[in-house]
Amino acid sequence: MDILTKIVHHKRAEVKSKAQLISLSDLKKLNLYKRDPVSLSQLLKQNENLPIIAEFKRRSPSKSIINQSMSVNDVANAYQNSKFTGMSVLTDQHFFGGSLEDLLQARVHFKQAILRKDFTIKSYQIHEAKAFGADVILLIAAVLDLNHLKEFTEIAQDLGLEVLVEVHSQNDLDKALQVNAELIGINNRNLKTFEVDLEHSLKLAEQLPKHQIRISESGISKPETINSLKTKGFNGFLIGEQFMKAQPEDFLTQLHQFTKKIKS
């Protein structure tokens, strides 16, 4: 059983349990459910901030512990001060050490668009994302069939949320192009092997319509990579581990050096 299959298998039981603890009607009563979400796609088009969606992630199946000492409050503040367009918060607990509480805390400190990054397999999770302060949800094309991809996209958009459809293969891309998602993310990392292949991603990107907002995800560790991908038509860049793997005393210095090279 590959990593993605293991995660989805566990997620089914997890979501069923959570829905029994907090009903859908209870989620809709939470204050953040009533807020107007921030548009990530519009922020990227305005080009007023750095086109980076920087992640808060404690650990991953491929790298084990990444950073257990940094607080989400400190990281969100640093990302806000760095003028990043978006922040990604990994809320999967079992495999990534995240939580919905992380999303709540990030919402207090980060004022731009927040992506709730998780493995969405049930519509309940979309309402959950809305109730805990997300602006964008992630839908992984490799996890969902076309009908569910369309259904979940429509539910999210009805709630005012934007959708980032993540693709890894030609089959994923074919499905993604059939839904009206605001954003398509091309993951440079194979979720089954966790290997990174930028060339494969570029070949997929060439098939996207010119007007489509495209995000390059994973495996981005150098400012030079971002500057190069910009010339290939990418609008935004999701950086998962590069910042989080820094030691707390080096975190702000690394952020400053990284962003300075992008601006130059």
Side-chain angles (χ1 to χ4, degrees):
M1 189 182 294
D2 61 61
I3 295 172
L4 182 59
T5 303
K6 287 180 181 178
I7 292 173
V8 172
H9 180 75
H10 185 275
K11 188 63 61 176
R12 295 188 190 282
E14 178 188 303
V15 174
K16 182 178 180 180
S17 176
K18 289 170 73 173
Q20 291 172 344
L21 291 173
I22 305 177
S23 69
L24 183 58
S25 60
D26 286 337
L27 285 177
K28 293 180 178 181
K29 294 175 185 176
L30 297 177
N31 288 335
L32 287 175
Y33 195 89
K34 305 176 183 68
R35 68 179 282 273
D36 293 327
V38 177
S39 170
L40 176 59
S41 62
Q42 288 302 314
L43 288 173
L44 289 170
K45 289 176 182 177
Q46 291 167 7
N47 203 28
E48 294 178 358
N49 298 290
L50 288 174
I52 292 175
I53 305 156
E55 200 153 84
F56 179 79
K57 177 167 62 173
R58 292 186 176 88
R59 66 173 188 260
S60 76
S62 64
K63 297 291 180 67
S64 187
I65 294 174
I66 299 170
N67 195 323
Q68 295 279 57
S69 57
M70 294 284 287
S71 76
V72 66
N73 295 345
D74 290 342
V75 172
N77 272 324
Y79 289 167
Q80 179 68 34
N81 292 334
S82 297
K83 299 187 182 301
F84 290 160
T85 299
M87 178 174 179
S88 170
V89 180
L90 244 154
T91 58
D92 175 83
Q93 195 281 323
H94 186 77
F95 293 93
F96 292 87
S99 70
L100 286 167
E101 180 64 26
D102 290 337
L103 185 57
L104 279 178
Q105 292 300 314
R107 181 76 281 161
V108 173
H109 299 276
F110 192 79
K111 307 306 178 185
Q112 310 287 29
I114 295 182
L115 164 70
R116 187 224 177 153
K117 195 172 182 185
D118 211 312
F119 298 81
T120 304
I121 56 169
K122 296 289 184 181
S123 59
Y124 175 88
Q125 294 167 276
I126 305 172
H127 293 277
E128 193 177 52
K130 169 81 168 173
F132 281 82
D135 304 294
V136 189
I137 64 162
L138 178 74
L139 296 181
I140 302 175
V143 169
L144 303 168
D145 60 32
L146 180 58
N147 288 336
H148 280 103
L149 199 59
K150 286 182 176 179
E151 176 191 351
F152 291 172
T153 298
E154 291 171 0
I155 290 172
Q157 291 171 341
D158 285 345
L159 294 175
L161 301 173
E162 290 188 335
V163 174
L164 172 61
V165 176
E166 180 175 292
V167 304
H168 305 80
S169 67
Q170 184 65 53
N171 183 56
D172 291 347
L173 184 61
D174 292 342
K175 286 192 289 185
L177 290 173
Q178 295 184 64
V179 303
N180 189 31
E182 293 84 359
L183 310 143
I184 290 183
I186 299 180
N187 198 322
N188 307 312
R189 193 186 307 280
N190 185 316
L191 278 188
K192 295 185 177 181
T193 65
F194 273 69
E195 295 176 351
V196 173
D197 184 355
L198 283 173
E199 288 303 317
H200 175 66
S201 298
L202 289 173
K203 290 176 182 177
L204 291 177
E206 290 173 356
Q207 301 178 53
L208 291 173
K210 289 185 177 180
H211 68 271
Q212 177 68 57
I213 297 177
R214 61 199 71 185
I215 310 294
S216 181
E217 305 177 31
S218 299
I220 300 172
S221 60
K222 299 178 181 179
E224 293 80 11
T225 303
I226 289 179
N227 291 328
S228 175
L229 289 171
K230 278 183 179 180
T231 66
K232 304 294 183 181
F234 281 92
N235 310 97
F237 309 89
L238 197 155
I239 301 179
E241 296 177 5
Q242 179 62 22
F243 302 137
M244 287 300 300
K245 68 183 181 182
Q247 294 300 313
E249 60 270 20
D250 300 325
F251 182 73
L252 293 177
T253 300
Q254 181 170 319
L255 276 181
H256 177 70
Q257 292 175 343
F258 196 96
T259 56
K260 185 179 179 181
K261 288 182 179 179
I262 296 172
K263 292 177 181 177
S264 61

